[in-house]
Amino acid sequence: MSPLPGFIDWLDQRTGCRSLTKEALYENIPGGARWRYVWGSTLTFTFIVQIVTGIALWAAYSPSSQTAWESVFYIQNSMSGGWLLRGIHHYTAQAMNILLVLHLMQVIIDGAYKAPREVNFWFGMLLLVLVLALSLTGYLLPWDQKGYWATKVATNIAAITPLFGTAVQKIIVGGTDYGHHTLTRFFALHAGVLPGAAIALIIGHIALFRRHGITAKKPYRKPDAAFWPDQLLIDSVACLAIVGAVMVLVLMNHGAELGPPADPSENFSAARPEWYFLFLFQFLKYFPGGTEVLGAILIPGIVMVVVFLMPLIGRSVKGHRFNIAFLFALIIGASVLTWLAMAEDRRRPEIVAAAHSAEQTAERVKHLANSPSGIPASGAITLLRNDPLTQGPKLFAKYCASCHRYDGHDGTGLKLKEQPTASDLKGFGSREWLTGLLDPDQINGAHYFGRTKFKNGKMVKFVNKKVRAFSGEQKTQLTNVVAAVSAEAALKSQQQLDGSSKTQIEAGRLAFKDQVGCAECHQFHSKDADASGPDLTGWASREWLVGIISNPKSPHYYAEDNDRMPAFADEKILDANSIGLIADWLRGEWYEPAETR
Amino acid sequence: MVPESKQPDAHAGCGCGHHDPVGRRSFFKEAATVGLGIAAIVAPIGAAIAVMFDPLRRKSKAASNMVRVASLRSVPSDGIPRKFAILADRTDAWNKFPSTPIGAVYLRRPDEKTVEAFNVVCPHAGGFIDYNVQNKCFLCPLHNSAFSLDGSIMDPKSPSPRPMDSLKVEVRNGEIWVSFQNFLAGTREKIPA
C-alpha cells in the first residue's frame, strides 16, 4: 500500500489542508466554465510571472546612477537568457495593463460591482492603480534616456499637486535632483512597496471574490461545474495564449529596448511615456499655461472618483447604464488621444530623427561597452562622452559647420541652407582630399578654397598656373608627393595603402623639395625660416590637427595669413578634450567593433 | 481555547456593580496592550519615517553659484541660441563628481553687448526644450510649449505657465559666467527648486 494517503491524513489533522484545497479548487461555477471568466485568473497569472521574472532581474540589478544602466546592459547582453528575461518582464507588464482594462470592462458591463461586491470592486480599483504605479516606476529603472526624461515629467507633474505636491516629489525623487536616491527609491517602490501592497490586495480581492462567488452570466447554458478542473483548464489555455503573445513580441524585438544611458545635459526629444500612458501625455497638450493642474490632476482625479463610485451609481438601472456609457467614453477618449499622440510624433521630423539617433547611440554604446576597454566604473555615459564618433559630429556641427562642411552636411547629417565658406573636411588627410586640392579645376571650388580668402592666395595661383602646365613626368611626381604628404596623416583608412607604397612615398618626399616645388612655401621635415605656408610635417596627424584647431595663427600654420578661423584653445572656445575629439573624428580614429571592420 | 467560565468578560454587562473591578482591570489590560504595542513599534517606525522623509531636508546646492559656461567668442552675436552643458561639481548622495554636466543652458547674443541665458528645462513639466531651426523659436518636444527667442511665451495656448527661466549672466574677461539654477515646473512664479 502506498504511504501517501496516510501522510495526507497526518498532515490534514495538523493543518486542515484537505478542506483548504477543497475550498480553493472546488468552487462552484453556476452555468459551467466559460471563456469570459478568464480575466481574473490571467491577471493573477501575469502578476506571478512578474514576481518570478522580477526577482530574477532583482538578483542582477544595481540601482545607482553609475550602475543601473550598466547592470541592465549586462543582463541584456552578457547573462544567459538575460534578454529573454527582460523581454518577458517588459511585455508581460504591457499585457497586464490590457488585461486590467478588459477585466474592468467585464466587471462593469456584467454589473459585477453591485451589492454585495462593492468592496471587492474597490480592491480591484486599488490594484489597477498599483499596477499603473508599477509600470511607471519600472520605466525609470534601466536609467536610459527615454525612461529618465519621461519619468522626470511624471515626477514634475506629481509636484503640481496642491498642498503637498513638492514634498511628495522630493520624497519620491530622493531630493531635488535625479540621482542615486531616485533609483534606490523607485526600486524600493517597484520591487518592495508596490508589489507588497498588491499581494495583500490580491489576497483580499480573491478572498472577497470567493466569499460572494462568481457573477455568473445568465442564461446558464450548461450545468454547474467546479473551478477545478473545468474553469482552470480554460484559464490555463488563456494564460498560455498570453505567454505566447508575449513571447512573439519578445522574439520579434529581441527583448526589451535599452536606450542610450541617461544624460542630464543631452536632450532627448523623443522621450515619451509607455504607450498606455500616452493618452495622459497627449491630454496635457490641451491645457494652456497655468491650467495644467486641471489636465494633470483634477480631471484624472475626478474620473477616478467617478469610477470608484460606480458600485453606488450603478444601484439603479439608469446608473448602471451611465457607468457603461462612461466607461466606453473613457476608453474611446483614451484611444483617440493615444492615436493623436502617435500620429503627431510620426509627423514631426525632429521626433523621428531623435528616436532614430537614440537607436544609433544605443547601438554605439553597446559596441563601446563590448570593446576591450569595457565599461569604466564611472559608467557607460563616459564611454559616449569620450567617443569621437558620438561627439565629433555634434562638436563639428556646433563649432565648425558655420563655415566648414563634412561631406556637404554639418557633421550630423543635416544639410544647411547657408553655403559653406570654408573647405569640406570629409576625408581630410587622405590622398583623395589632397588630390582634389591640387586639381586646378577643384581648388577654387566651394569644396576647397573657393569661398575663403585663400582663393587669391599663392597656393591657388601655384595650382592654377604651375600644376596645370605640369608634364606627364611632373604629374607622376605630384602623385608621389600626394602619397608622401598624405602618409604624414597615418590615417587608419589608408594604413594598407601607405604600407604598400613605401617607395612611392619616399620618392614623393624627395620630389616635394625639388621637382614639384612645394618647399618654396611649405616646410616638410626640415627648417626653413622663409616658409610662408603651413608646415606640412605631420600634416593631418592628430597632433597637427589639434594644433591648427587650437591656434591657426601659430607660425606653424597660417600665421598672419589666417582667414577667419578662431583659435579654439587659445580663445578658450573649446577644451583640449573636445579639440582632440574633433581631430580624432575627422581622422576616422574611433573604436570599431570587429565584425564591421 | 479559554474555557467559557473563565473568560474575563463572562459577567460583563450584568450591571450588578459587583464585577466592576473585573471590567476596570480589563480596561487597563487593553489600554496597556495597545500602549505597549505602540511603544514597541515607535522606534523602528520612527527611524524608517525619518529616513524616508530625509529628502525633505535636502536643498539644491547648485543654486546661485556662478559657473563659467563658454567663451564669448563661441556665441556669435547673431541672436541664434546655442546650447551649452553646465559643468559643475555635483554631490549625488554618497558620490562627489568634480566638473560633471549638471544641466544645460541656451546662450544667446541678440547684439554685441547683451548675453542672455536660459535654463533648457521647460517650466511646464520639465522637458528639455529644443531650438527649432525652421521657425527660429524654442519648442518643447513634449507638450509643444513654444517660446520666442527672448524666452517669452510665444503661443498663449501652449502649456507653459511662464516664460523660459532666464539666468543671471556675467561676462568676465571675454568669458560667459552663468548663475545656474533649476526652478519648480508647473508654477506661474519662478520658484527655485
Side-chain angles (χ1 to χ4, degrees), chain A residues 340-360:
Chain A
L340 282 172
M342 289 177 165
E344 188 179 328
D345 283 353
R346 270 197 300 270
R347 218 174 42 235
R348 283 173 55 182
E350 70 271 24
I351 307 287
V352 177
H356 178 68
S357 120
E359 265 173 46
Q360 282 182 324

Side-chain angles (χ1 to χ4, degrees), chain A residues 178 267 269 348 398 571, chain B residues 73 83 90 95 130 144:
Chain A
Y178 268 41
N267 49 336
S269 310
R348 283 173 55 182
K398 193 160 149 188
E571 295 177 40
Chain B
R73 285 278 275 129
K83 192 189 85 183
R90 174 167 186 247
N95 274 139
D130 278 334
N144 305 337

